[in-house]
Amino acid sequence: METPHNKLKTGDICVLGAGPAGLACGWAMEKTGNTGYSIFEKSSVHGGNARTVNHNDFLYDTGPHRFHTRNAEATRRISELMGEDLHSVDAPARIFWQGRFVDFPLRPSQILKNGGFLYTLKAARDLAISRTIPSRNDVCDNFSRYARSRFGRTIAETFLIPFSERLWGLPGEELSPDIAGRRLPGFSLLSLLKETFLGSKNSDHLEGRFFYPNRGYGQISDRIAECLDPRKLHYNHRVVGIETKEDYIASLEINTDSEKVIIKPGFVINTLPITAIVSMMNPRPPEEVMRAAAQLKFRDVILVALFIDQPYISDAAVTYFQGSEYEFSRAHEPRNRSLAMSPEGKTSLVVEFPCFRGDDVWSCNPEQLTNRLIKQLDKMGLINGSSVFDSDVLRLENAYPVYFKDYIQVSEIVLSFLRTFKNFSTLGRGGSYFYGHLHDFISEAFDVVSAINQFKSQPQKTHYPN
């Protein structure tokens, strides 16, 4: 339900974007009794790039999302919100390597099985060298150097570097070591030797346990949206202009289906890409800020969902493809997260193509891309191409920020400028140029709203805090 344009109030808190971060801000305001807010979403749906798509009798997520319990407060909030609709999933993540599934993060015993004894010895030797002999340059200023120094040349160049280059769209030497994140914990020389020579399988580096909603990850966004006053959530409202005056946001220009609306906000909470925000500002931000914004990149993604007439493909929560010969980076089988995602006796496979708008993959005809994918997966032996009876193609813009080597310094130039506006705050993947997850943004949203509410209660304050 839309609020008539003439009821949009001057002085409201305006939230830009109804993805997980924007919805969490509205949720936090409802929880604290703050009804003076509006959320503006350019599309006709909420959830951003973390929603669930309904295709005939199938459900699939816009990526292999999972809810980890890394933040106790966010976990408590989501658990209370979802109740019995949230369950635990214990399924492995895997790499497809030489025609077999290999556990990811890497399990040494399967390196031996797939790579052979000589390959495993070479990997063990390189790993030992990387851990015991200091590098000529101890500063790992790019991901390739980090991967080789942490895991040895063999493992780095077989798995980590080629996969990361396709995922992020830049050579490993141009990527920040920060992209390693938490994805590569626990792989050690000791575990490699124990599994190779003693047959031990007690290494703790296998990832796979997480929480997941019964009807897809987007059910979390749906449930949060249900907590909001529907009159506060405005679909098909695209922000096209931002007027600034000294140190505050003076007005927002918003396009609807039928007209342009000018709103004078009391406070703005942004979750849109910061590159888009500065490009809409009038007066134009300083040239240093605009040059920095021009260096920031967001990776786009094409999802190809294949609907398959067979009960299952594998037991993996997600499968990664590290070879440079692949255009796609990973795939997930939704039914391995919840049986409600596919009809009985059938399954689906959602394959992710990371790209930039304008790339050959992005511009490819959907039918051609799908047919090419089916042939390649069939040739790999991952699926029987003749069992695919339907498909769907979805394009996701600005899926995640690219962590190039100097991204922290460059993004900070833009973020520092935005912090000069007293009635403006920014969060989310696009809004903070941070590859965060739902638990991060829930926690941040409640912190931001708490600070705004505290300052709102002080009448001597002209603007809210940032």
Side-chain angles (χ1 to χ4, degrees), residues 362-428:
W362 182 266
S363 305
C364 185
N365 176 276
E367 184 176 355
Q368 292 178 350
L369 186 64
T370 301
N371 291 338
R372 192 162 72 212
L373 173 65
I374 292 172
K375 289 180 182 179
Q376 192 162 15
L377 295 180
D378 184 277
K379 184 177 180 180
M380 293 163 61
L382 189 59
I383 65 170
N384 180 348
S386 63
S387 65
V388 178
F389 63 88
D390 196 7
S391 63
D392 194 26
V393 176
L394 188 66
R395 284 175 166 80
L396 307 176
E397 297 182 359
N398 301 318
Y400 50 90
V402 176
Y403 278 14
F404 56 94
K405 281 202 305 183
D406 297 324
Y407 81 96
I408 293 179
Q409 297 91 326
V410 175
S411 62
E412 182 57 28
I413 293 173
V414 181
L415 292 168
S416 293
F417 169 74
L418 294 176
R419 282 194 287 269
T420 64
F421 298 102
K422 292 183 170 61
N423 64 334
F424 183 88
S425 188
T426 187
L427 69 153

Side-chain angles (χ1 to χ4, degrees), residues 59-96:
L59 298 171
Y60 71 91
D61 296 335
T62 53
H65 303 299
R66 52 183 75 182
F67 188 84
H68 288 289
T69 58
R70 291 173 181 154
N71 183 297
E73 184 63 19
T75 300
R76 179 190 66 78
R77 292 186 187 280
I78 292 298
S79 296
E80 292 177 355
L81 178 73
M82 300 303 296
E84 295 182 357
D85 287 327
L86 192 69
H87 62 272
S88 178
V89 176
D90 188 2
R94 294 176 172 176
I95 293 176
F96 191 78

Side-chain angles (χ1 to χ4, degrees), residues 52-286:
T52 299
V53 178
N54 190 328
H55 184 87
N56 297 327
D57 295 328
F58 290 85
L59 298 171
Y60 71 91
D61 296 335
T62 53
H65 303 299
R66 52 183 75 182
F67 188 84
H68 288 289
T69 58
R70 291 173 181 154
N71 183 297
E73 184 63 19
T75 300
R76 179 190 66 78
R77 292 186 187 280
I78 292 298
S79 296
E80 292 177 355
L81 178 73
M82 300 303 296
E84 295 182 357
D85 287 327
L86 192 69
H87 62 272
S88 178
V89 176
D90 188 2
R94 294 176 172 176
I95 293 176
F96 191 78
W97 180 38
Q98 296 185 352
R100 291 192 180 99
F101 292 112
V102 179
D103 292 326
F104 184 75
L106 305 172
R107 181 181 286 280
S109 62
Q110 292 196 340
I111 296 177
L112 174 62
K113 182 178 180 180
N114 276 41
F117 187 72
L118 291 180
Y119 179 91
T120 305
L121 284 181
K122 184 179 179 183
R125 180 203 66 188
D126 289 351
L127 181 61
I129 292 173
S130 71
R131 298 299 174 86
T132 58
I133 300 177
S135 170
R136 293 179 181 178
N137 185 354
D138 291 332
V139 179
C140 293
D141 61 349
N142 65 68
F143 178 72
S144 289
R145 180 173 291 171
Y146 167 84
R148 293 187 184 104
S149 67
R150 176 94 164 85
F151 298 98
R153 180 175 294 274
T154 300
I155 295 297
E157 295 182 356
T158 301
F159 297 99
L160 309 179
I161 295 174
F163 175 79
S164 298
E165 288 180 338
R166 185 168 59 260
L167 186 67
W168 298 91
L170 291 175
E173 290 75 15
E174 297 180 20
L175 291 169
S176 167
D178 292 353
I179 68 170
R182 303 175 183 174
R183 182 56 64 187
L184 308 171
F187 186 73
S188 67
L189 177 62
L190 179 61
S191 65
L192 177 62
L193 296 176
K194 286 173 64 178
E195 291 196 18
T196 301
F197 298 107
L198 302 179
S200 170
K201 296 184 179 180
N202 294 323
S203 60
D204 60 357
H205 54 78
L206 195 65
E207 182 184 27
R209 185 173 292 107
F210 54 92
F211 282 132
Y212 190 78
N214 292 340
R215 294 189 60 80
Y217 198 77
Q219 192 177 5
I220 296 177
S221 292
D222 292 343
R223 192 64 58 83
I224 294 175
E226 291 172 3
C227 296
L228 310 183
D229 183 338
R231 296 170 298 180
K232 303 294 184 181
L233 188 52
H234 307 279
Y235 300 103
N236 301 309
H237 280 58
R238 179 189 292 269
V239 180
V240 295
I242 301 173
E243 192 80 20
T244 65
K245 185 176 181 181
E246 297 177 351
D247 59 355
Y248 68 98
I249 306 298
S251 66
L252 302 173
E253 182 179 348
I254 297 177
N255 275 358
T256 72
D257 288 337
S258 58
E259 62 181 319
K260 288 185 179 180
V261 179
I262 303 297
I263 299 174
K264 295 181 179 180
F267 194 89
V268 176
I269 302 177
N270 171 61
T271 69
L272 308 181
I274 53 176
T275 51
I277 292 299
V278 295
S279 71
M280 291 188 285
M281 284 185 162
N282 182 39
R284 178 182 169 90

Side-chain angles (χ1 to χ4, degrees), residues 1-3 13-41 45-47 81 219-235 269 271 442 445-446 449:
M1 179 177 179
E2 296 278 348
T3 301
I13 298 172
C14 294
V15 181
L16 310 185
L23 291 174
C25 290
W27 187 26
M29 283 184 277
E30 291 285 350
K31 282 282 191 181
T32 57
N34 187 341
T35 60
Y37 73 92
S38 296
I39 301 177
F40 299 104
E41 167 58 42
V45 295
H46 56 255
L81 178 73
Q219 192 177 5
I220 296 177
S221 292
D222 292 343
R223 192 64 58 83
I224 294 175
E226 291 172 3
C227 296
L228 310 183
D229 183 338
R231 296 170 298 180
K232 303 294 184 181
L233 188 52
H234 307 279
Y235 300 103
I269 302 177
T271 69
I442 289 174
F446 274 82
V449 170

